[in-house]
Amino acid sequence: NSRYAQGSSSILALLTDRSGLSQKEIAENLEVSRQLAGYHLGELERRGELESRFWGRFRRYYLVAL
């Protein structure tokens, strides 16, 4: 499933440089739909690689420190 790995690794790389982005900001930076970004964010969060926190109305994503 290399397409999944590509999307996930792109999100992880982006959040390494710019932690605390919203789903919309991640989608815009990676030039993908918000739905696709949301899918990958959900999978990464389920795997314990990301965590999300609400900041006002928006959910922000952060890497989990290992």
Side-chain angles (χ1 to χ4, degrees):
N1 198 319
S2 65
R3 292 178 87 193
Y4 171 77
Q6 269 185 328
S8 296
S9 62
S10 297
I11 288 172
L12 293 173
L14 179 62
L15 289 175
T16 298
D17 293 334
R18 300 181 57 200
S19 188
L21 295 176
S22 69
Q23 179 177 334
K24 179 182 177 191
E25 292 168 327
I26 291 167
E28 289 172 351
N29 274 277
L30 299 179
E31 298 179 349
V32 298
S33 69
R34 286 193 320 233
Q35 292 83 358
L36 182 59
Y39 169 78
H40 287 292
L41 290 165
E43 289 297 312
L44 288 166
E45 196 165 15
R46 276 188 281 286
R47 289 181 9 208
E49 296 183 54
L50 294 182
E51 65 182 16
S52 63
R53 297 181 216 139
F54 279 99
W55 185 264
R57 295 183 349 191
F58 300 100
R59 186 181 296 240
R60 301 285 179 174
Y61 291 89
Y62 302 88
L63 294 177
V64 172
L66 299 174

